[in-house]
Amino acid sequence: MNVLLGVGGGIAAYKSAELARALMERGLRVQVVLTDAAQRFITPLTFAALTGRKVITNLFATASSEETLSSAIEHISVAQDNDVMVVAPATADLLARLAYGHADDFLTTTYLAFTGPVVLAPAMNSNMWAHPATQENLNILRKRGHVIVEPEDGLLACGMTGPGRLAETNQIADVVASLGLTSSPVKASKDLDGETVLITAGPTQEPLDPVRFISNRSSGKMGYALAEAAGERGARVVLISGPVHLPAPPGVTLIRVHTAIEMRNAVFEHLAEATIIVKSAAVADYHLSRVPQHKVKKTATRMSLELDPTPDILAELGQKKGDRLLIGFAAETENLTEGARSKLKSKNCDMVVANLVGQDGTGFESDENEAVLVLSTGETIPLQRAPKREMADRIFDQVMKLRLALHAAQ
Ligand code: CTP
């Protein structure tokens, strides 16, 4: 697989040399493009020596008319010859130019001509990172489907401490390598075209009285990433979401609910039209079946709650799914694969996405996740830690493989 490594002009540019090496260690061919600003921090020679290839530095060569002609169209061939584009460090200026489609140097021009997956690894001062202008540009780039490998917290070159340090080069290289695996022509050709994907996301809230509720930890990010991915791959998407602080992904039909019972009713209202169901919601297992009409007054004595089980939506779907593909989630704190396999069987799922929860950096509120996919075919597929949007694509890659396998078995 061929990777285009674009290097922006920041202090972290020296780490891109490590990144070039890490990409090559993963068996990838690396073509480096340096912006003018990058060349103030690191020389083309470093990358040429590491990659054994010519390093591209500018849009218009000046040496001879022949060179000028070949370099004038080179950005098109570079765009066509590479499978994944990664920009590291992506400076605030570069993010702005990419977001707004500027084409004033080789890297930005190639970006516009490039149709494959794009990975951006920002690095900058933490105030620049937090600035609304930068965050809005990042949102534009995320909506475009690009993978953002978020910077780390730490001591920055400017002396400040905070977010802005380029992510670990091995982490960036892993994301690029995994994207290459999933960026099959099938995905580019909208492999979910014709499917209706019903997704549940977020927690449910079960009222105890008019001012209190019990709920589960869940940000909804994984479910929303799944909805976005399914939509981009051509599916019609119905997203049934518990209370979360996330905007509706573009083109998705969003139905907001609060309780497990409301979620169950919404799911069965839309079951007939669904061909794939993904149950990523963290549904509360217990509720008060009769909620007091008035606020329960505080007393000095211990109180206990008598809770009843909520309907198990996934288990009911397992009984009524017909030939639809049913994907459940399992949040476990131990015995991940065994727990997931027993849920797969007991709830009659085709696949269970199992997350080990209670670790740092993945799960609940995090932008990243790591999981094991347990399939009804008997396969167990580990998914390395990756941004949730990327994880969503890997899950749908397996869903579509499963669909083909189940068809073939019929
Ligand atoms: N689920 C559901 N309805 C419920 C509870 C869970 O549809 N009332 C679904 C979740 O959306 C998820 C799957 O079941 O897809 C597994 O959820 P999880 O909380 O891991 O498991 P539980 O079945 O609740 O079992 P336990 O809490 O004992 O692990």
Side-chain angles (χ1 to χ4, degrees):
M1 184 177 81
N2 295 332
V3 177
L4 174 66
L5 168 59
V7 181
I11 311 258
Y14 74 93
K15 292 190 188 164
S16 308
E18 270 172 45
L19 177 59
R21 191 191 289 258
L23 291 167
M24 290 169 71
E25 280 167 5
R26 285 159 181 76
L28 312 175
R29 266 185 105 223
V30 181
Q31 170 65 65
V32 176
V33 176
L34 295 181
T35 63
D36 281 347
Q39 291 168 66
R40 293 169 185 254
F41 292 92
I42 190 158
T43 69
L45 194 60
T46 308
F47 290 100
L50 279 172
T51 62
R53 297 175 76 185
K54 188 185 98 175
V55 170
I56 300 172
T57 50
N58 58 7
L59 189 54
F60 300 108
T62 47
S64 71
S65 59
E66 200 178 311
E67 262 187 42
T68 305
L69 177 64
S70 71
S71 74
I73 53 168
E74 196 177 15
H75 58 281
I76 305 293
S77 61
V78 169
Q80 283 167 352
D81 291 348
N82 285 286
D83 304 292
V84 179
M85 177 169 182
V86 52
V87 181
T91 58
D93 175 62
L94 209 38
L95 291 175
R97 290 196 288 139
L98 297 178
Y100 285 91
H102 288 213
D104 50 5
D105 66 3
F106 196 96
L107 187 59
T108 51
T109 314
T110 308
Y111 166 77
L112 288 185
F114 184 70
T115 55
V118 176
V119 178
L120 303 168
M124 64 197 74
N125 158 280
S126 41
N127 287 346
M128 291 172 75
W129 170 252
H131 197 284
T134 305
Q135 290 302 318
E136 278 163 27
N137 290 335
L138 280 163
N139 276 339
I140 292 173
L141 294 161
R142 273 194 200 102
K143 278 196 193 130
R144 214 170 275 165
H146 300 342
V147 178
I148 313 291
V149 186
E150 305 257 335
E152 293 179 348
D153 264 33
L155 183 64
L156 305 174
C158 55
M160 281 181 77
T161 303
R165 208 164 65 179
L166 187 73
E168 283 294 321
T169 48
N170 276 325
Q171 188 198 343
I172 304 170
D174 281 342
V175 171
V176 173
S178 63
L179 264 179
L181 292 178
T182 55
S183 65
S184 57
V186 186
K187 184 171 144 192
S189 68
K190 303 224 176 244
D191 57 347
L192 292 180
D193 197 11
E195 305 278 359
T196 297
V197 184
L198 180 61
I199 299 175
T200 68
T204 64
Q205 285 180 354
E206 312 300 330
L208 300 177
D209 69 14
V211 299
R212 303 181 177 97
F213 61 79
I214 45 175
S215 189
N216 284 351
R217 282 182 70 187
S218 169
S219 64
K221 285 179 183 171
M222 191 63 236
Y224 277 60
L226 285 158
E228 192 177 281
E232 278 176 19
R233 291 167 75 145
R236 204 186 134 239
V237 181
V238 179
L239 175 62
I240 300 171
S241 173
V244 295
H245 302 283
L246 296 171
V252 161
T253 305
L254 175 65
I255 299 160
R256 293 182 199 276
V257 297
H258 281 91
T259 65
I261 289 179
E262 285 169 15
M263 183 170 277
R264 184 220 161 262
N265 294 343
V267 164
F268 284 95
E269 250 169 58
H270 291 273
L271 179 62
E273 60 208 85
T275 57
I276 298 173
I277 308 152
V278 187
K279 280 242 55 215
S280 65
V283 186
D285 287 326
Y286 293 94
H287 69 159
L288 263 193
S289 48
R290 292 175 57 188
V291 181
Q293 277 191 340
H294 298 288
K295 186 180 167 191
V296 176
K297 285 289 174 194
K298 179 176 65 182
T299 64
T301 56
R302 165 177 286 180
M303 84 174 266
S304 56
L305 281 171
E306 274 215 2
L307 299 171
D308 288 304
T310 55
D312 190 322
I313 309 169
L314 185 60
E316 192 178 347
L317 280 168
Q319 300 308 311
K320 300 181 179 167
K321 76 186 184 83
D323 57 5
R324 296 172 186 87
L325 284 178
L326 180 59
I327 293 92
F329 271 64
E332 309 285 349
T333 52
E334 55 183 352
N335 302 333
L336 184 62
T337 313
E338 299 91 280
R341 200 153 280 290
S342 89
K343 277 178 195 166
L344 178 97
K345 292 217 174 79
S346 66
K347 303 196 188 195
N348 195 27
C349 297
D350 298 286
M351 182 197 286
V352 166
V353 181
N355 294 120
L356 201 55
V357 290
Q359 294 174 302
D360 283 348
T362 57
F364 302 129
E365 289 83 14
S366 165
D367 288 324
E368 295 201 324
N369 214 353
E370 101 183 33
V372 174
L373 305 184
V374 176
L375 277 66
S376 57
T377 53
E379 278 174 287
T380 300
I381 301 171
L383 295 185
Q384 283 177 13
R385 183 172 169 158
K388 285 182 174 170
R389 180 60 180 74
E390 162 58 12
M391 188 68 70
D393 266 321
R394 288 199 234 155
I395 292 169
F396 280 118
D397 288 342
Q398 293 304 327
V399 170
M400 295 320 279
K401 272 196 197 158
L402 192 59
R403 154 129 311 154
L404 289 176
L406 295 178
H407 261 295
Q410 273 171 7

